[in-house]
Structure formats: C-alpha cells, structure tokens
Amino acid sequence: MNSSLQRLGVILAILVTALLMGCAVVPGAPEGSHAETVTLDSKDPSGNPIKLKMILYLPPGNGPFDVMLYAHGGPIRNKTYVVNMPEDSASPFLKNNIAVAFLIRQGRGGSEGDVSLPGCVLQELLVSLEEGMKDMETSLDYVKQSPLFMGKKVYTVGSSQGGMLAATLAARHPDVISKAVAFAPGWIATGYVGYCSRTAQRLQNYLFTDVIAKSTAASTLFIHANNDSYHPPASVFESFRLYKTYGGTGVMKMYPDTHTRYNDGHFIIHRPDVWEDDVTAFLGVQKPVATTGLGEPQK
C-alpha cells in the first residue's frame, strides 16, 4: 500500500511540475499549443505595488506570434466573482496562429489587489472602468515588449465587462491594436429589474458614445445573443444605434438564442462553434499553410 501511495505521489508531483513549467494543453487547439504563466508588475489605485497573473496560450512554434489580449468579465453587485478561464474560447485563435494573453485583473484569482464595484452613478462607474483599463494597459505594455510578440499584430477580445475593456483599449490605441472583438460588452447590466434601473441604460449609452465611439481607426466587432439576460436586444440596439451616430465604425452581429454553460446568451463567448467563422473572417486572418516538413507547401 505504501509503495502504491508513493508511486501516486510521484505521478502527481510530475503532473504539478509539468503544469508549473507551462505544459498545460489547450483543449481543441493544434497539437503543440501550450500555456505559460507570467507575473506582471503593476500598482493598485493607491499606488501600492501589486503582482498580476497572466496566462499565455501559445500556438505551436517559437514565435513571434500575433497576439489577442483577452479581457475577462467582472463582478456587478458583489466582489465574489469566479474568473471564467478561456480554454474553450482560446482555441479558435490558436488555430489561426494567434496567441492569447489572458490577464487576470487585480483582486481576482491569483492577482493581488482589490476590486471596485461599478455603482449606479457615472463617476463610480468610470472609476471602476479606469481601474480595469489600467490593468489592461499593463498587459498591452507587456506584449509590446515581449520577444514572443515583438513586431506582430495585436488584437483585443473580451466578454461582458471584458468586452467593454477590449473595445475601449482598441479605441485608445488604434495605432497599436488592429481590431477588437467585444462579446456582450457593458459595465453594468441593463436587463436586471431593480438594479440601477433608472440609470443603467443611460450609463451603457454613455460608454458606447463617449468612450468607445471616438475612435475611427480600430475596427470592432460586437457580438450578442438574443437570449442575453444582462443586455437584452432592445438595450443592445439602442446603444449600438447611438454608437454609430457618434461616429463608431464597428459592426454588430446578433445571434439567435444561444445556450451556454449558464444557459444565458450573455456567455456566448464560450460557444466558439457559433461564432468562430464570423470572427475569423472579421480578423482577416488566414490559417497557416500545411507544409511537408521541409518548408514546402503540401501539393
């Protein structure tokens, strides 16, 4: 019995070591894709130094790679928030030789610091948004300097609050970011009865008109599902209409009811089988040409 337990312990130790060395396989991605974890230096709103965790999902090869900055969602009414890891939604990018840089923002799983809740008034919302943007700026600085991505294209993608961050980062850095994909973007829910119900839509509209519509250089694809309880279709169409009126250059795709892990279309990013072809076409990427192994394309 003791020898069996010892063998089991050795096996577990090997598996843990492999994960720590960045050998985690990305489900659905090309063979040879893997994940690595890096730590970024940043500061909290008070200026105190903190460490942020970032997971890099890398295609086969040594790079440099085009890279997709991935922004996760966030809490609305309380600080208890489980970060949805992007393994299922990272694979479509890896298939097209695009790395995914997944930053865990401060105060969440593995990253130091605290979380500010958005609130129902504009000033509180903007404070919360800018804290998220500061973290995303940190991740952008990292990929611009990393040899893994040096000189290659940078894209952004995100869901919910992360979708708003992805679109905002692209709007502020059109000289660096080629395109953005925003899944169900917003900072507070417009579909919750009784929650910020007097201000939610107005605040959502403000973000679309005064925050992300000001850029005409970075193109953005907004993706929604008809059964999104956080941002129902009527709310989505109102914000997008105003966004276009204010000069926004992005396009929107509204999908039919899409069942996800939470049975809510708000989490459509976790259904790449629904959106993969449309996003690939929007990005304008071409899948790598298969070769014979000698550097020559297959006949």
Side-chain angles (χ1 to χ4, degrees):
M1 180 65 70
N2 289 338
S3 61
S4 298
L5 288 175
Q6 288 176 348
R7 285 196 298 272
L8 178 60
V10 171
I11 293 171
L12 290 175
I14 292 172
L15 290 174
V16 170
T17 301
L19 288 173
L20 292 175
M21 290 178 64
C23 297
V25 177
V26 180
E31 183 178 354
S33 300
H34 64 284
E36 298 179 359
T37 300
V38 297
T39 301
L40 308 185
D41 292 317
S42 188
K43 293 184 178 180
D44 68 13
S46 299
N48 301 310
I50 57 174
K51 301 287 187 181
L52 301 180
K53 179 180 178 181
M54 175 183 274
I55 303 174
L56 303 177
Y57 296 85
L58 301 172
N62 298 318
F65 306 105
D66 292 344
V67 60
M68 181 71 73
L69 289 179
Y70 190 123
H72 62 73
I76 298 177
R77 289 180 285 189
N78 60 67
K79 296 186 180 183
T80 303
Y81 178 79
V82 178
V83 174
N84 290 318
M85 302 304 287
E87 282 90 346
D88 52 1
S89 47
S91 58
F93 306 116
L94 295 173
K95 291 176 186 177
N96 290 286
N97 213 39
I98 300 174
V100 175
F102 181 77
L103 177 73
I104 300 178
R105 300 194 301 279
Q106 60 181 287
R108 303 160 178 89
S111 288
E112 298 175 347
D114 197 7
V115 181
S116 293
L117 299 178
C120 297
V121 297
L122 181 61
Q123 188 56 42
E124 293 175 348
L125 179 145
L126 292 179
V127 167
S128 176
L129 175 71
E130 290 304 324
E131 287 182 9
M133 283 300 300
K134 185 176 185 301
D135 289 348
M136 294 308 298
E137 297 276 1
T138 299
S139 68
L140 179 61
D141 289 341
Y142 170 80
V143 300
K144 287 194 300 183
Q145 298 171 15
S146 170
L148 282 170
F149 317 114
M150 192 77 71
K152 303 298 285 185
K153 290 183 178 179
V154 180
Y155 307 98
T156 60
V157 66
S159 175
S160 193
Q161 287 187 359
M164 185 58 67
L165 291 175
T168 303
L169 194 67
R172 293 184 181 179
H173 297 278
D175 55 327
V176 177
I177 296 173
S178 298
K179 292 184 179 180
V181 184
F183 289 83
W187 207 251
I188 58 173
T190 57
Y192 283 2
V193 175
Y195 173 70
C196 295
S197 56
R198 298 174 62 181
T199 59
Q201 187 63 51
R202 180 166 56 86
L203 293 173
Q204 179 82 340
N205 291 345
Y206 176 88
L207 292 176
F208 270 82
T209 57
D210 287 57
V211 175
I212 61 176
K214 292 184 176 180
S215 170
T216 57
S219 183
T220 302
L221 172 62
F222 299 93
I223 290 181
H224 296 270
N226 187 65
N227 61 327
D228 186 334
S229 69
Y230 291 66
H231 302 296
S235 167
V236 170
F237 286 123
E238 178 180 333
S239 296
F240 188 74
R241 176 183 59 80
L242 290 170
Y243 162 82
K244 298 295 283 188
T245 300
Y246 276 66
T249 60
V251 294
M252 184 178 70
K253 175 77 174 179
M254 176 70 74
Y255 290 89
D257 288 4
T258 303
H259 298 290
T260 65
R261 60 174 68 177
Y262 301 110
N263 201 33
D264 191 314
H266 187 67
F267 302 95
I268 187 175
I269 193 170
H270 298 291
R271 285 289 307 276
D273 58 303
V274 172
W275 51 259
E276 180 176 355
D277 290 344
D278 290 328
V279 170
T280 300
F282 170 74
L283 296 177
V285 296
Q286 294 182 345
K287 293 184 179 181
V289 177
T291 67
T292 60
L294 303 174
E296 296 293 332
Q298 292 179 349
K299 301 295 185 181

